[in-house]
């Protein structure tokens, strides 16, 4: 059984910074990709950034140069450093883990965190 727990969300003024963390717990052998998605009210969930086990990254165009994703494989934890925040960054941020391999289970699976709210005021 795998659980993803996010932390670090909150209310911040435009131009400020936040650092999100997501820790995966359970009998985990490895995780292929960890990432962050966000969903604003009335809009679809979109990829913000993700990172593979080898360190390769993907970013949404809207956050390039402002956000940085990183991970600690030994801790099964992914981080999202968010700088120069804009009101358009407001939304619920969800941690995602894909290709999670668990001891005793051969096939990998996908898991989602419960989400953490980020609100950027103008």
């Amino acid at each position: 059984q795998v659980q993803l727990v996010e932390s670090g969300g909150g209310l911040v003024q435009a131009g400020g910074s936040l650092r999100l963390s997501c820790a995966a717990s359970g009998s985990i052998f490895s995780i292929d990709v960890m990432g962050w998605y966000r969903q604003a009210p009335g809009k679809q969930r979109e990829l913000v950034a993700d990172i593979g086990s080898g360190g390769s990254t993907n970013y949404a165009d809207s956050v390039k140069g402002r956000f940085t994703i990183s991970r600690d494989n030994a801790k099964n934890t992914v981080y999202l450093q968010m700088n120069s925040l804009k009101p358009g960054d407001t939304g619920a941020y969800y941690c995602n883990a894909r290709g999670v391999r668990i001891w005793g289970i051969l096939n990998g699976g996908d898991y989602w965190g419960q989400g953490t709210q980020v609100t950027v005021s103008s």
Side-chain angles (χ1 to χ4, degrees):
Q1 186 173 355
V2 175
Q3 184 176 11
L4 273 57
V5 179
E6 302 111 328
S7 62
L11 175 64
V12 65
Q13 292 183 335
S17 298
L18 287 173
R19 181 176 170 85
L20 305 183
S21 299
C22 172
S25 62
S27 299
I28 299 171
F29 177 74
S30 63
I31 302 173
D32 288 342
V33 180
M34 301 189 76
W36 292 93
Y37 292 72
R38 69 186 180 190
Q39 187 168 22
K43 297 183 178 180
Q44 294 183 325
R45 186 175 299 185
E46 64 174 349
L47 173 70
V48 178
D50 63 23
I51 181 168
S53 61
S56 61
T57 59
N58 295 297
Y59 293 94
D61 288 340
S62 61
V63 308
K64 288 181 179 177
R66 300 188 297 120
F67 292 9
T68 302
I69 190 169
S70 60
R71 66 186 285 176
D72 185 335
N73 291 334
K75 297 180 179 179
N76 291 320
T77 300
V78 63
Y79 308 93
L80 186 68
Q81 179 66 47
M82 305 186 294
N83 298 325
S84 302
L85 283 162
K86 305 175 181 179
D89 296 318
T90 294
Y93 283 68
Y94 297 89
C95 179
N96 171 253
R98 302 191 294 277
V100 180
R101 286 177 286 278
I102 303 172
W103 292 105
I105 300 177
L106 294 177
N107 296 326
D110 298 342
Y111 297 88
W112 289 91
Q114 189 172 352
T116 184
Q117 179 67 213
V118 172
T119 302
V120 184
S121 62
S122 60

